[in-house]
Amino acid sequence: MTYDELKEMIKDAMRARDKDRLSILRQVHGELKDIEVNERREVTDEDVTAMIKRVIKQTSETLEGSIKAGNNQERTDMLDGQVKLLESLLPEQVTGEALVALVEKTIADLGAETKRDMGKVMGALTAATGGNLDKAEAAKEVGKRLA
């Protein structure tokens, strides 16, 4: 997702008068605006993805707290909807057969043989996918293939 696409989604949410969607999108936009102002640089697509992941984490933690506290169901539903919306904005995660193929290719490219090489392999996988992979599943696959 690009910064401009995010701004368009905010405008669409405003036109639709969707307060919940608008609220969470503005939260992401505000965090990105802080990067522009504080770091005096343009926001990149990687910044947008990283910020969406960060807001997902924050909102998920709030959702868990809301569920544990037994707060009203309306708030819990709103938070759940916001998490699902943000997750839909992220690029598709590499899983299954594609992940297995990528793990095998990365191990071959790096010449990794032992468990000591696991950090290098995981770093290369993260870099290759931009962090869009299930790290636990990837680690399990890498562990199977390294002696």
Side-chain angles (χ1 to χ4, degrees), residues 1-11 29 32 36 42-43 45 48:
M1 161 163 276
T2 66
Y3 194 38
D4 291 332
E5 289 173 344
L6 178 67
K7 290 177 186 176
E8 283 302 314
M9 287 185 74
I10 291 172
K11 289 178 188 175
H29 182 262
L32 292 168
E36 281 185 327
E42 293 291 318
V43 172
D45 294 348
V48 174

Side-chain angles (χ1 to χ4, degrees), residues 43-136:
V43 172
T44 64
D45 294 348
E46 291 80 25
D47 290 330
V48 174
T49 301
M51 194 57 64
I52 289 172
K53 287 179 181 179
R54 189 168 137 203
V55 173
I56 286 173
K57 184 178 179 202
Q58 291 171 345
T59 308
S60 295
E61 289 170 356
T62 305
L63 175 61
E64 288 173 22
S66 178
I67 291 170
K68 286 180 183 175
N71 287 355
N72 64 10
Q73 189 62 36
E74 186 178 319
R75 176 173 162 72
T76 303
D77 292 342
M78 178 196 70
L79 291 169
D80 187 48
Q82 288 178 340
V83 168
K84 287 178 181 168
L85 169 73
L86 291 174
E87 286 174 344
S88 72
L89 302 178
L90 291 175
E92 192 66 35
Q93 291 228 332
V94 179
T95 57
E97 294 297 319
L99 179 63
V100 170
L102 185 61
V103 165
E104 289 172 352
K105 180 184 180 312
T106 304
I107 289 173
D109 290 349
L110 295 175
E113 296 176 0
T114 66
K115 296 265 186 201
R116 289 183 176 183
D117 298 325
M118 188 158 183
K120 284 194 300 188
V121 174
M122 290 301 294
L125 286 171
T126 302
T129 61
N132 292 320
L133 76 157
D134 182 351
K135 289 184 179 164

